[in-house]
């Protein structure tokens, strides 16, 4: 039953991706990437990764669409047709894909209970995180408590990046100039 | 079962909206298509939540509706103004 939903959703994603690649109008391509982000957020939600889905919807469908439109206001709105031969890029893509597929051959089987990722700390989190932390969502308790210092570091990095961007844009300085 | 039929019934609408986003022809068709596609995503999340007995998906659907609204406002502002700059910067 849910297989049918998965197939329909993934075919929607495939159609959107192909259309975004083929489209000459850059504005239309930006709109299609927004649709693709919405679909992948829905897909993450079906896979029970709610936090990833939130991030995808906020960053993919929200912010990056706005950033792409901001870029479009600086460039032309039509894709330039390239005259270069496309054989070498195709070859590079196929080689890279082949190497990546070769890399997956060493991985443990799908849903193998003896795989390293299922025998390391995951059983401890699944069995004891409810009693130790008291948060119903295991992912949240891992991020906010077991790896709390790691998350604090990440937040500090993002805060520093935001402050740096604000200083580079000079938003505060421009307001002061206006007052003088 | 009823929710499953609802999910399946949403897919033709999503395919039609996607088709309108691909075919165009005007920019406004595409904006409207993306906006309605976002609405279908919100509906789909809510129905999927009830289908799998995870009713807290409704909160997520509401947040998605807010993100979709902000995105549409940004795109329409891009149409009217041409960029996302400040008023004072344009005067200079």
């Amino acid at each position: 039953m849910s297989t049918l939903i998965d197939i329909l959703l993934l075919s929607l994603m495939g159609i959107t991706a192909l259309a975004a690649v083929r489209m000459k109008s850059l504005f239309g391509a930006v709109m299609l990437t927004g649709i693709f982000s919405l679909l992948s957020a829905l897909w993450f939600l079906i896979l029970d990764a709610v936090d990833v889905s939130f991030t995808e919807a906020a960053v993919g469908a929200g912010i990056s669409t706005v950033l792409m439109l901001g870029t479009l206001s600086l460039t032309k709105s039509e894709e330039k047709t390239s005259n270069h031969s496309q054989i070498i890029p195709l070859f590079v893509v196929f080689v890279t894909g082949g190497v990546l597929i070769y890399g997956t051959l060493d991985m443990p089987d799908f849903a193998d209970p003896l795989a390293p990722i299922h025998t390391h700390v995951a059983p401890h989190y699944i069995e004891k995180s409810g009693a130790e932390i008291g948060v119903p969502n295991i992912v949240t308790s891992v991020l906010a408590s077991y790896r709390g210092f790691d998350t604090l570091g990440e937040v500090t990095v993002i805060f520093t990046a935001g402050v740096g961007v604000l200083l580079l844009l000079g938003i505060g300085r421009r307001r002061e100039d206006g007052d003088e | 079962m009823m929710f499953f039929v609802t999910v399946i019934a949403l897919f033709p609408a999503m395919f039609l909206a996607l088709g309108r986003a691909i075919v165009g022809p005007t920019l406004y068709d595409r904006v409207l298509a993306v906006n309605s596609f976002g609405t279908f995503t919100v509906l789909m999340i809510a129905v999927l939540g009830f289908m799998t007995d995870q009713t807290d998906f409704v909160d997520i659907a509401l947040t998605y509706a807010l993100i979709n609204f902000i995105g549409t406002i940004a795109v329409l502002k891009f149409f009217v103004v041409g960029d996302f700059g400040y008023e004072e910067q344009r005067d200079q």
Side-chain angles (χ1 to χ4, degrees):
Chain A
M1 207 157 89
S2 65
T3 318
L4 182 62
I5 297 176
D6 294 352
I7 291 172
L8 282 171
L9 201 60
L10 286 177
S11 61
L12 268 174
M13 286 176 82
I15 293 171
T16 315
L18 285 177
V21 171
R22 302 288 302 170
M23 187 158 282
K24 288 287 173 198
S25 155
L26 289 179
F27 180 82
V30 170
M31 292 289 101
L32 283 176
T33 53
I35 289 183
F36 189 83
S37 294
L38 283 170
L39 279 170
S40 54
L42 193 55
W43 178 245
F44 288 139
L45 200 75
I46 287 178
L47 293 177
D48 263 340
V50 178
D51 47 342
V52 184
S53 164
F54 257 131
T55 315
E56 178 63 40
V59 175
I63 301 295
S64 69
T65 307
V66 171
L67 287 180
M68 294 258 206
L69 286 176
T71 314
L72 265 188
S73 68
L74 300 175
T75 58
K76 289 179 180 167
S77 61
E78 286 286 321
E79 186 180 339
K80 213 169 88 178
T81 48
S82 78
N83 300 320
H84 296 292
S85 151
Q86 295 179 340
I87 295 174
I88 294 175
L90 195 67
F91 176 73
V92 171
V93 165
F94 267 103
V95 167
T96 314
V99 168
L100 286 175
I101 290 173
Y102 174 73
T104 62
L105 294 180
D106 280 345
M107 286 171 70
D109 290 338
F110 183 68
D112 181 8
L114 295 177
I117 191 168
H118 296 309
T119 54
H120 183 44
V121 288
H124 178 88
Y125 290 154
I126 292 170
E127 285 163 16
K128 303 206 177 126
S129 75
E132 285 179 354
I133 312 298
V135 179
N137 190 325
I138 297 175
V139 175
T140 308
S141 63
V142 168
L143 281 180
S145 182
Y146 291 113
R147 296 183 197 161
F149 282 112
D150 183 46
T151 309
L152 183 68
E154 285 173 15
V155 172
T156 312
V157 168
I158 292 171
F159 178 74
T160 314
V163 169
V165 168
L166 283 181
L167 286 176
L168 280 176
L169 290 175
I171 287 173
R173 205 180 311 143
R174 186 155 290 148
R175 292 233 173 90
E176 280 169 25
D177 291 347
D179 291 340
E180 290 164 5
Chain B
M1 190 62 204
M2 192 180 71
F3 290 124
F4 177 70
V5 174
T6 316
V7 170
I8 297 301
L10 273 172
F11 271 106
M14 289 173 99
F15 272 104
L16 287 174
L18 181 62
R20 183 46 69 192
I22 293 172
V23 176
T26 68
L27 300 179
Y28 298 100
D29 288 324
R30 295 204 165 113
V31 174
L32 194 58
V34 172
N35 191 22
S36 51
F37 202 91
T39 312
F40 293 139
T41 314
V42 170
L43 285 172
M44 179 81 88
I45 291 170
V47 179
L48 278 175
F50 281 106
M51 193 180 92
T52 54
D53 277 334
Q54 290 168 296
T55 44
D56 51 334
F57 275 18
V58 175
D59 299 340
I60 301 170
L62 283 175
T63 318
Y64 274 38
L66 292 175
I67 292 172
N68 190 25
F69 178 70
I70 294 172
T72 310
I73 292 284
V75 173
L76 290 177
K77 188 185 177 202
F78 174 76
F79 276 146
V80 174
V81 184
D83 58 37
F84 298 113
Y86 288 95
E87 297 280 336
E88 44 201 343
Q89 284 176 328
R90 263 199 310 282
D91 292 340
Q92 285 166 5

